[in-house]
């Protein structure tokens, strides 16, 4: 019995040692006020959510929804002599079909007259788990409202989503980026576009967060 207990203890310690040696997330100070993160992407995830707080048990703020092709993030120009805690979380969920949008020339954003078409609208009622391909939003439509505004509408088919993402891939870009994070059951939202989004491809994604990674901690230096 003693020998068996000793073997179990050794295996447990070895597993703990492996976890400590091979964390999902690591970080480094690349200057006194710049932190660079590196992580191991989770297989099958749509990407990773990068988050930070100023205390280990503090309120975490999302820095970026990174695509699955990326495994690093630079957090620049931070407050000197301050603690920063980081974690990443995978997010999953099937994307909708895409729509291509070409906006007319111009850079003005006119004032909205009448109802606010940019406001999020909730009309949920989906019945499919986000883990199912059938939860992908259906019927995505894009209505150009002006030279820098697009109204997106879609059918919510997900039942357990943490929210929706509107994702954009500007012409010439290598990958999609998240333009907007929305609440669960959203079926409409108006986007005011960025200058590089005059011609772009869009999609929406019902998503769920996965479990957070290990925490990594850095304290910025003096400048």
């Amino acid at each position: 019995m003693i020998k068996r207990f000793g073997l179990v203890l050794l295996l447990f310690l070895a597993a703990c040692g492996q976890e400590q040696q091979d964390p999902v997330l690591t970080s480094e100070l690349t200057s006194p006020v710049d932190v660079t993160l590196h992580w191991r992407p989770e297989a099958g995830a749509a990407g990773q959510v990068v988050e930070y707080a100023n205390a280990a048990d503090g309120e975490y703020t999302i820095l970026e929804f990174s695509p699955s092709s990326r495994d690093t993030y630079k957090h620049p120009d931070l407050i000197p002599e301050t603690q920063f805690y980081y974690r990443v979380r995978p997010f999953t969920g099937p994307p909708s079909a895409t729509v291509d949008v070409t906006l007319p020339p111009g850079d003005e954003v006119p004032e909205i007259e009448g109802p606010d078409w940019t406001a999020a609208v909730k009309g949920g009622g989906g019945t499919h788990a986000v883990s199912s391909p059938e939860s992908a939003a259906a019927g995505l439509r894009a209505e150009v409202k002006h030279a820098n505004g697009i109204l997106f509408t879609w059918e919510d088919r997900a039942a357990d989503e943490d929210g929706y993402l509107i994702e954009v891939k500007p012409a010439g870009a290598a990958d999609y980026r998240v333009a907007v994070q929305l609440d669960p059951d959203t079926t409409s939202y108006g986007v005011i576009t960025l200058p590089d989004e005059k011609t772009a491809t869009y999609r929406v994604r019902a998503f769920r967060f996965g479990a957070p990674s290990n925490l990594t901690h850095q304290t910025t230096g003096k400048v």
Side-chain angles (χ1 to χ4, degrees):
M1 178 65 72
I2 293 176
K3 290 183 177 180
R4 183 177 180 183
F5 175 78
L7 177 60
V8 171
L9 179 60
L10 286 173
L11 290 172
F12 174 78
L13 292 175
C16 290
Q18 176 64 27
E19 182 177 350
Q20 292 174 353
Q21 295 169 11
D22 190 24
V24 170
L25 176 67
T26 61
S27 65
E28 59 180 326
L29 273 175
T30 48
S31 86
V33 291
D34 295 317
V35 174
T36 298
L37 307 176
H38 305 275
W39 61 84
R40 186 174 66 251
E42 181 171 305
Q48 302 283 330
V49 182
V50 184
E51 301 174 310
Y52 88 97
N54 295 117
D57 58 351
E59 182 176 348
Y60 281 79
T61 298
I62 292 177
L63 292 170
E64 183 180 68
F65 282 82
S66 292
S68 59
S69 59
R70 192 176 305 159
D71 61 4
T72 187
Y73 179 86
K74 182 178 180 180
H75 197 195
D77 303 324
L78 303 176
I79 301 171
E81 300 180 80
T82 303
Q83 296 188 86
F84 290 86
Y85 290 82
Y86 297 92
R87 69 187 187 188
V88 293
R89 289 191 286 170
F91 64 95
T92 58
S96 70
T98 63
V99 292
D100 296 323
V101 180
T102 298
L103 294 170
D107 55 10
E108 293 186 4
V109 178
E111 292 186 7
I112 296 172
E113 298 180 0
D116 184 1
W117 60 267
T118 65
V121 174
K122 289 189 176 183
T127 58
H128 300 284
V130 168
S131 58
S132 165
E134 286 76 20
S135 68
L140 177 62
R141 296 181 297 278
E143 178 187 351
V144 174
K145 303 296 285 188
H146 55 69
N148 296 281
I150 310 168
L151 174 62
F152 293 98
T153 56
W154 61 90
E155 177 190 349
D156 170 30
R157 301 201 299 175
D160 60 348
E161 74 273 24
D162 286 324
Y164 270 92
L165 303 174
I166 298 179
E167 300 176 339
V168 55
K169 185 169 73 170
D175 213 333
Y176 284 87
R177 66 191 182 211
V178 172
V180 184
Q181 178 187 354
L182 300 165
D183 289 339
D185 300 328
T186 302
T187 56
S188 178
Y189 187 77
V191 172
I192 303 301
T193 60
L194 297 177
D196 68 340
E197 295 170 356
K198 281 292 190 181
T199 300
T201 301
Y202 292 86
R203 66 190 184 189
V204 297
R205 184 190 303 271
F207 76 95
R208 283 188 63 84
F209 290 119
S213 70
N214 59 289
L215 292 182
T216 183
H217 167 239
Q218 296 290 341
T219 301
T220 51
K222 297 181 179 180
V223 294

